């Protein structure tokens, strides 16, 4: 049996899909999401809007679910665009002395 099957190799990769903006969204730039997740995100938005219309869902949501995860994320150093830095990027910034410090003296 041949281990390589040409029919099993996919060459048509799905490009990122722009996510439609909410009515209350002020940003003009489209937000690109994983193409495989796009339809599920739209379906979840539709379900949330339907539940809000039926008054079966609270309009106000908590900003985050777990306090400890939020605190941990707030302490992590971030790069351009708000993304988290990798361990290699953090080590490089520490050597260069460019890693910003938070108010309590910890690295941010």
């Amino acid at each position: 049996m041949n281990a390589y099957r040409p029919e099993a190799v996919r060459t048509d990769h799905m490009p990122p899909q722009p996510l439609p903006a909410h009515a209350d969204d002020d940003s003009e730039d489209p937000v690109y999401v994983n193409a495989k997740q796009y339809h599920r995100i739209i379906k979840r938005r539709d379900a949330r809007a339907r539940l809000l219309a039926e008054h079966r869902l609270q309009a106000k949501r908590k900003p985050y679910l777990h306090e400890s995860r939020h605190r941990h994320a707030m302490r992590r150093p971030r790069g351009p665009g708000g993304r988290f830095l990798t361990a290699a990027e953090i080590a490089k910034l520490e050597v260069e002395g460019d890693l910003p410090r938070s108010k309590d003296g910890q690295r941010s």
Side-chain angles (χ1 to χ4, degrees):
M1 178 145 218
N2 190 359
Y4 174 73
R5 298 181 321 183
E7 67 273 7
V9 177
R10 267 186 82 180
T11 58
D12 58 329
H13 296 288
M14 300 170 77
Q17 297 289 323
L19 195 60
H22 286 289
D24 60 348
D25 192 10
D26 295 334
S27 67
E28 296 175 10
D29 297 331
V31 176
Y32 288 94
V33 297
N34 186 338
K36 292 181 179 181
Q37 297 172 347
Y38 175 78
H39 292 292
R40 185 65 193 157
I41 292 170
I42 298 301
K43 188 175 180 179
R44 191 178 310 123
R45 280 188 181 178
D46 291 342
R48 183 173 302 281
R50 181 178 39 81
L51 290 173
L52 279 171
E54 295 173 2
H55 302 293
R56 291 179 21 195
L57 186 68
Q58 294 177 0
K60 186 173 180 186
R61 296 177 59 187
K62 291 171 55 174
Y64 46 85
L65 295 177
H66 304 285
E67 180 70 26
S68 62
R69 289 183 183 179
H70 172 69
R71 286 194 315 263
H72 174 73
M74 294 304 292
R75 285 193 302 260
R76 290 182 63 186
R78 296 175 187 255
R83 71 173 183 82
F84 294 119
L85 297 177
T86 64
E89 292 170 329
I90 293 171
K92 180 182 173 189
L93 288 174
E94 284 178 341
V95 168
E96 295 172 357
D98 293 338
L99 191 64
R101 300 282 176 178
S102 66
K103 296 174 191 169
D104 59 355
Q106 298 286 331
R107 66 175 193 222
S108 63

